[in-house]
Amino acid sequence: MNGLTRRSLLAKGGLVVVFASSGAAWAQEPEEAANLPGDLDKYPFLDSWIRIDTTGRITVFTGKAELGQGLRTALIQIAADELEVSPASIDLIMADTGRTPDEGVTAGSHSMQNSGMAILNAAANVRALLTDAAAWRFASSIDQIELQDGTAYGPGGRRLGYGDLAAGFSLHVMAKPDVPRRSKGRRLIGESVPRVDIPAKVNGGSAYVQDIRAANMLHARVVRGPSDGTQLKPADIDAVAKMPGIEKVVREGRFMAVLAAKEWHAVKALRRLQAAGWERRDSSLPSADLCDVIRQSPVRDNPIFNYPGPSAPADARIVKARYSRPALMHGSIGPSCAVALWENGNLIVWTHSQGVSPLRKSLAELVRLPLEKVRCIHVEGSGCYGHNGADDVAADAALAARAVPGRPVRMQWMREQEHGWEPLGSAMVVELHGALGRDGRIVGWRHDVWSNAHNGRPVSAGGLLAGAELEPPFAPQKPQPIPMPEGGGDRNANPIYALPNASGTHHFVERAPLRVSALRSLGAHMNVFAIESFMDEMAHAANADPVDFRLIHLQDSRAREVVETAANRFGWKRRVKGRPGRGYGFGFARYKNLGAYCALAMEVTIEPDGGTVDVRRVVAAVDSGEAVSPDGIRNQIEGAIVQSLSWTQMEAVTFDTSHRTSFDWSAYPIMRFPSVPASIEVDVIDRPGEPFLGTGEAGQGPAAAALANAIADAIGHRLRDMPLTSERIKAALRS
Amino acid sequence: MISLSVNGVAQSIDADPDTPLLYVLRDELGLHGAKFGCGLGQCGSCTVLVDDRPTFSCLLPIAALAGRKVRTIEGLGTPDRPGALAAAFDVEQAAQCGYCIAGMIMRAQALLERNNRPTEAELRTYLAPNLCRCGTHMRILRAVRRAAAAMGGGVQESSR
């Protein structure tokens, strides 16, 4: 590797660090190519994705990151399957700006679609090249070549390992489109291969960026007010600098960090600085309900969809409803953390950011280094579920490291900093207006959604908290809506049902009282909650069964199969209706109308005095295209259901006019074990040969809606404003 | 210097007496299993056993530990020789990001050492101090049930 120097940074764990002084080492610039699957289209050279050394060891590269969603294992499975080797013979390098293709951000349930499809097809190309090489070496035809476990077998018992074969040709060649996949029986794809990261995680192995302990490393804490929009009052910084163990207080503009060899000393210094008190820096937060503020703010209107059809007849039954969601928190269990090293004018940052490439660009601007002098390497952190403090803490670490060249700096946020400063999922309002014909079919549909932005990820220094604190400050990024078909606030606002005379508008609210960005599923959680609640309200008006009502409006055959599978497995038709305090709900969506299909049925009981909801049973069906790891898909859907139940039942970010008041787990409670469902069952519908569809966000909307529908079924009152708390249930029961 | 017993080994620690045990485990002893989550005793990701009881190591100053036995997840096994809970968590694939898992395992260990036949309701109540944000709860419960059986007991059904 040209221009690379090696140094061992990490004292423990045996991680060898390779510093790319000349930037992206060999993940070459994108070139024009035929239409290739996934991100192979952006990086068509095979050696961007797959390399084979002379011993036959295979290294696979992806620009996507393991976030706890099981991607590492799934991508190894794909490559091993297509290359006909065991998973153990593959090393997978993930999300490192010095080594891997730039695949943007690991988000939007895109990894299997973009990186999985790229690796699958790159591997098919490499397998074809290995077969050709073996045929040439054995002077045989390619049909006589058999690849197995890293060895090519030819006629007459001849055999050569992949290492020998690969030494004879270059993988720095463009992928060809339409190289067929291995046609003989499936072996690894479709198997629930145990996740490769789990043994370390369940035995206390060092698995996270928080665990990095490098020789000569300093621990750092950043010094900020209690939440977004606040700042600390002046403190006696000289006194803090003299506290035991404090090596340095870094100050640049309003940015401040304390550095110490022992972590506890840095924490104590931070606490002393915080004791000076704080004040609001930005304009006051609204005292009115946040959803009302969003609903009444100036907007930029964007049409979402418009399906023609005759106007609803005069005798059509009109149904209207308004739904709302408060601001929600990602709530990572581990506060954000990064390790940075500034050395010889180069900056390396180990980060759990979802987007190492945009982060690298933003950091280069922040610290005023040329792009090629900055490298970002992904290391797992605590689960993020979207844009949390990961990027901001990387910037904090970089600024701190610049002040102590040659010394690695480990910067970790405190709990109240994560709660106080992480970008939130926007509060949202949806208004739905439907018309029902005499035949019980929908003859008109109108969807209006109000929301702040759902993408504040950094693409420049102004997108990082520290960027606003330097002097002069970097200009903040202007919030923008995400265009359809993926959408942001309007994600999944476009119903998958076949509806005539239907339209929708995204009322984009630029001015955000609270800091907002991408939270798992973006607007889909709210839009699906609203649409699927409304489908039940319409079904009720039509005196129809909620599942039957969905099916008569559903033409997509895969959608129908998912709905029918969930209903049948649950025993929907056999449910006993009308038992007091017991209800059944259904919810369905295809994520973004582009990703995985997910339907689920839920049974709840409600204790009438306290209004407490017990989720007794959840049965889900999911179609993620060709299922690489059925258990991986189940794990993601189970998790999405539990997380969405927590969001939908009990979560809301609180604030007063001066700051966020959701500063820890007591002020922002999330679901604990006694409240999780008694059982969750997930049925995976496998579609061999179909493209992989991302699964990670498919369950959030359907789970929220099924809960609302089950509660309405149980108590005979519809709750339309999240969170669906026991207090609101009690109030509805009293009314 | 403060003396500690960690996983059966006597350790002399050069740290301020008010240093929480968690920082000593992670920064001085290289035991990274216990995690910093909140520093407030609200999430359980730092859970270790002190004299066989589940304890928030983020809150407990080392000055309070003289003569007491600390056990961490590293003391229960290794990937090659996992303890009963780690093995069950692996079989059940009971992790997503996994950040909470070491704390979950230590709390479950404390429960099963005292009572390897808890009811389902007792199990859920016992694990309540520990948060998981990925929503891996169903698998964690399955894994603890599996481990209880492997340890000669079992989790009993209970109506909730």
Side-chain angles (χ1 to χ4, degrees), chain A residues 443-466:
Chain A
V443 292
W445 182 279
R446 170 84 206 152
H447 187 122
D448 289 278
V449 54
W450 288 260
S451 179
N452 282 146
H454 287 262
N455 182 11
R457 294 182 189 278
V459 291
S460 65
L464 299 161
L465 286 179

Side-chain angles (χ1 to χ4, degrees), chain A residues 67-68 194-195 198 201-204 206 208 210-211 213 219 262-265 267-268 329-331 333-335 382-383 385 410 412 414-415 614-616 631 634-636 638-639 642-643 646-647 651 664-666 670-674 676-680, chain B residues 14-16 18-20 23 26-28 30 32-33 35-38 40 42-43 45 73-74 77-79 82-83 86 89-90 93-99 101-102 104-105 124-125 127-142 160:
Chain A
L67 308 174
R195 268 174 50 179
I198 284 186
K201 288 177 174 177
V202 301
N203 283 286
S206 294
Y208 306 91
Q210 284 90 345
D211 298 333
R213 294 293 181 279
H219 290 277
K262 286 189 189 283
E263 194 170 6
W264 186 238
H265 289 149
V267 174
K268 286 204 278 195
M329 210 172 263
H330 301 79
I333 297 297
S382 179
Y385 329 106
R410 176 183 175 279
Q412 184 167 10
M414 300 304 288
R415 170 47 50 201
D614 254 333
V615 178
R616 314 299 300 203
D631 191 61
R634 282 194 291 271
N635 200 350
Q636 283 290 286
E638 285 172 26
V642 173
Q643 188 178 66
S646 181
W647 289 357
E651 295 184 28
D664 70 1
W665 297 121
S666 71
I670 64 171
M671 191 166 272
R672 291 181 183 268
F673 274 95
V676 301
S679 95
I680 299 178
Chain B
D14 175 20
D16 294 356
D18 65 346
T19 308
Y23 294 91
R26 292 177 57 77
D27 297 338
E28 313 289 335
H32 298 153
K35 297 286 185 270
F36 180 85
C38 65
L40 302 161
Q42 297 176 344
C43 76
S45 58
I73 191 165
E74 290 86 352
T78 63
F89 272 68
D90 194 17
Q93 294 285 286
Q96 291 186 56
C97 85
Y99 196 86
I101 294 297
M104 294 285 180
I105 287 180
R124 289 178 183 225
T125 303
L127 293 181
N130 287 40
L131 290 175
C132 166
R133 187 55 160 170
C134 297
T136 316
H137 302 72
M138 309 311 292
R139 286 168 182 252
I140 293 169
L141 291 167
R142 285 203 288 275
R160 288 209 293 148

Side-chain angles (χ1 to χ4, degrees), chain A residues 398-445:
Chain A
L399 290 177
R402 183 167 64 175
V404 285
R407 297 195 73 173
V409 173
R410 176 183 175 279
M411 172 72 77
Q412 184 167 10
W413 280 5
M414 300 304 288
R415 170 47 50 201
E416 80 279 3
Q417 292 177 321
E418 189 77 30
H419 266 66
W421 291 87
E422 69 141 274
L424 306 170
S426 174
M428 296 175 70
V429 174
V430 170
E431 290 178 8
L432 280 161
H433 180 123
L436 202 57
R438 262 198 267 174
D439 60 354
R441 284 174 174 265
I442 296 167
V443 292
W445 182 279

Side-chain angles (χ1 to χ4, degrees), chain A residues 589-676:
Chain A
R590 181 183 190 191
Y591 186 52
K592 298 187 274 193
N593 297 332
L594 300 165
Y597 300 80
C598 178
L600 60 89
M602 189 180 293
E603 177 182 358
V604 304
T605 53
I606 296 176
E607 188 267 308
D609 295 332
T612 312
V613 177
D614 254 333
V615 178
R616 314 299 300 203
R617 187 165 169 245
V618 183
V619 176
V622 57
D623 169 353
S624 300
E626 179 159 12
V628 173
S629 172
D631 191 61
I633 291 170
R634 282 194 291 271
N635 200 350
Q636 283 290 286
I637 296 292
E638 285 172 26
I641 290 168
V642 173
Q643 188 178 66
S644 178
L645 288 176
S646 181
W647 289 357
T648 308
Q649 258 186 297
M650 56 193 303
E651 295 184 28
V653 173
T654 57
F655 54 92
D656 60 22
T657 54
S658 61
H659 72 318
R660 288 188 204 174
T661 49
S662 297
F663 52 84
D664 70 1
W665 297 121
S666 71
Y668 189 84
I670 64 171
M671 191 166 272
R672 291 181 183 268
F673 274 95
S675 308
V676 301

Side-chain angles (χ1 to χ4, degrees), chain A residues 188-258:
Chain A
L188 282 169
I189 290 180
E191 294 295 317
S192 294
V193 172
R195 268 174 50 179
V196 296
D197 53 333
I198 284 186
K201 288 177 174 177
V202 301
N203 283 286
S206 294
Y208 306 91
V209 68
Q210 284 90 345
D211 298 333
I212 293 176
R213 294 293 181 279
N216 209 24
M217 186 179 88
L218 291 171
H219 290 277
R221 291 296 181 276
V222 67
V223 182
R224 294 206 163 96
S227 81
D228 183 29
T230 69
Q231 64 185 9
L232 289 183
K233 289 182 176 164
D236 186 350
I237 292 162
D238 291 340
V240 168
K242 290 184 192 125
M243 284 174 70
I246 296 302
E247 300 243 354
K248 194 158 188 113
V249 178
V250 178
R251 298 180 71 187
E252 292 199 40
R254 287 190 297 117
F255 175 84
M256 194 187 318
V258 288

Side-chain angles (χ1 to χ4, degrees), chain A residues 224 228-231 252-256 281-282 362 365-366 368 392 395-396 399 421 458 460-477 515:
Chain A
R224 294 206 163 96
D228 183 29
T230 69
Q231 64 185 9
E252 292 199 40
R254 287 190 297 117
F255 175 84
M256 194 187 318
R281 179 181 165 83
D282 294 355
S362 306
E365 187 187 353
L366 183 81
R368 302 185 191 284
D392 296 310
D396 298 342
L399 290 177
W421 291 87
S460 65
L464 299 161
L465 286 179
E469 296 171 336
L470 296 184
E471 194 53 51
F474 289 89
Q477 293 179 182
R515 186 179 189 220

